[in-house]
């Protein structure tokens, strides 16, 4: 209550102007200006005229900062959109998802589970999961999955391949043929029905 009383004394209305269009302008003793429009929209201008806050009747709030950063809060969606002067745009959603849109076209999405997905302007995608797994997708659709245990999986239109830390490589081709190359040099090939075609040691 003490803080509120102090605030009131610092912000007493010094001047009140009523316009013909229904707009009301209040000039406070601390230099702040508040314009209230007939539709319920309020525009507040800081004493130094460097920060403007617009409160819309639907609950949306737009704030223009001294460095020209624009922060817009969408009340219905409970989402904040911040546009920085350098072109970076950041969206914060109520589920704690954050999206960053960079001027070069790159997008970065941080999900509530802390997974991060990067979408590059050239069509590539990378996703970093909290467990250390990384998924990379080229614009042609080829996918590489790097697991935290050291295994690596490659998916292309022609094959799916898994590489193990011990050097073993298992490949399944689009025609169903399976090939396993062991670190010892042994190679096994099976047909699409699982019949052994080759077992070279």
């Amino acid at each position: 209550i003490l803080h509120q009383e102090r605030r009131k004394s610092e912000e007493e209305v010094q001047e009140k102007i009523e316009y013909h269009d229904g707009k009301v302008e209040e000039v406070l003793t601390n230099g702040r200006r508040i314009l209230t429009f007939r539709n319920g929209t309020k525009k507040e201008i800081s004493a130094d005229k460097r920060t403007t806050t617009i409160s819309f009747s639907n609950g949306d709030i737009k704030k223009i900062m001294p460095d020209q950063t624009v922060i817009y809060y969408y009340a219905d969606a409970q989402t904040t959109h911040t546009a920085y002067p350098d072109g970076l745009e950041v969206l914060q959603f109520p589920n704690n998802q954050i999206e960053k849109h960079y001027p070069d076209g790159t997008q970065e999405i941080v999900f509530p589970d802390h997974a991060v997905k990067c979408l590059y302007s050239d069509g590539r995608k990378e996703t970093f999961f909290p467990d250390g797994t990384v998924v990379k997708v080229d614009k042609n659709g080829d996918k590489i999955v790097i697991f935290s245990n050291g295994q690596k999986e490659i998916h292309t239109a022609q094959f799916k391949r898994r590489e193990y830390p011990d050097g073993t490589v298992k490949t399944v081709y689009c025609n169903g043929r399976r090939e396993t190359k062991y670190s010892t040099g042994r190679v096994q090939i099976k047909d699409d029905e699982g019949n052994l075609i080759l077992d070279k040691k």
Side-chain angles (χ1 to χ4, degrees), residues 3-143:
H3 173 72
Q4 286 178 338
E5 285 174 16
R6 193 176 335 113
R7 189 169 169 253
K8 278 183 187 170
S9 65
E10 289 172 8
E11 297 185 351
E12 287 178 9
V13 176
Q14 181 180 323
E15 184 182 1
K16 187 173 184 176
I17 307 159
E18 295 186 20
Y19 294 91
H20 296 297
D21 62 4
K23 177 173 68 177
V24 176
E25 182 175 359
E26 294 173 312
V27 180
L28 306 179
T29 50
N30 67 1
R32 258 186 348 128
R33 296 175 105 70
I34 300 172
L35 287 101
T36 307
F37 298 87
R38 189 184 292 164
N39 66 3
T41 298
K42 258 189 184 175
K43 182 177 185 178
E44 293 185 38
I45 302 164
S46 64
D48 63 5
K49 297 179 177 49
R50 296 184 59 194
T51 305
T52 303
T53 304
I54 303 164
S55 304
F56 298 95
S57 55
N58 66 356
D60 288 6
I61 299 169
K62 180 180 183 178
K63 193 167 191 170
I64 303 163
M65 305 303 285
D67 68 353
Q68 296 307 300
T69 295
V70 177
I71 304 165
Y72 196 105
Y73 175 73
Y74 295 91
D76 281 350
Q78 297 179 349
T79 300
T80 303
H81 175 247
T82 306
Y84 294 93
D86 65 2
L88 172 66
E89 293 186 34
V90 179
L91 291 148
Q92 293 175 286
F93 298 94
N95 67 352
N96 292 325
Q97 179 172 314
I98 298 170
E99 286 186 19
K100 294 179 181 178
H101 299 254
Y102 294 90
D104 68 358
T106 301
Q107 290 181 39
E108 180 182 292
I109 304 162
V110 181
F111 295 97
D113 68 356
H114 303 292
V116 179
K117 184 177 213 169
C118 297
L119 308 167
Y120 299 101
S121 54
D122 64 4
R124 292 178 301 119
K125 297 175 193 167
E126 282 184 314
T127 307
F128 303 87
F129 292 93
D131 70 356
T133 302
V134 179
V135 178
K136 298 179 180 190
V137 182
D138 280 337
K139 59 182 173 184
N140 67 1
D142 289 358
K143 178 162 72 170

Side-chain angles (χ1 to χ4, degrees), residues 97-190:
Q97 179 172 314
I98 298 170
E99 286 186 19
K100 294 179 181 178
H101 299 254
Y102 294 90
D104 68 358
T106 301
Q107 290 181 39
E108 180 182 292
I109 304 162
V110 181
F111 295 97
D113 68 356
H114 303 292
V116 179
K117 184 177 213 169
C118 297
L119 308 167
Y120 299 101
S121 54
D122 64 4
R124 292 178 301 119
K125 297 175 193 167
E126 282 184 314
T127 307
F128 303 87
F129 292 93
D131 70 356
T133 302
V134 179
V135 178
K136 298 179 180 190
V137 182
D138 280 337
K139 59 182 173 184
N140 67 1
D142 289 358
K143 178 162 72 170
I144 297 173
V145 182
I146 302 162
F147 296 95
S148 54
N149 63 7
Q151 293 182 23
K152 184 175 170 182
E153 218 171 80
I154 301 164
H155 298 225
T156 71
Q158 294 77 38
F159 63 83
K160 286 183 182 176
R161 174 177 294 146
R162 185 169 284 235
E163 299 173 1
Y164 296 86
D166 70 357
T168 301
V169 177
K170 292 185 178 184
T171 307
V172 178
Y173 294 92
C174 59
N175 63 6
R177 191 171 59 107
R178 296 174 198 167
E179 177 182 278
T180 306
K181 292 181 181 175
Y182 297 93
S183 53
T184 59
R186 179 179 177 189
V187 177
Q188 270 191 341
I189 299 175
K190 296 180 179 179

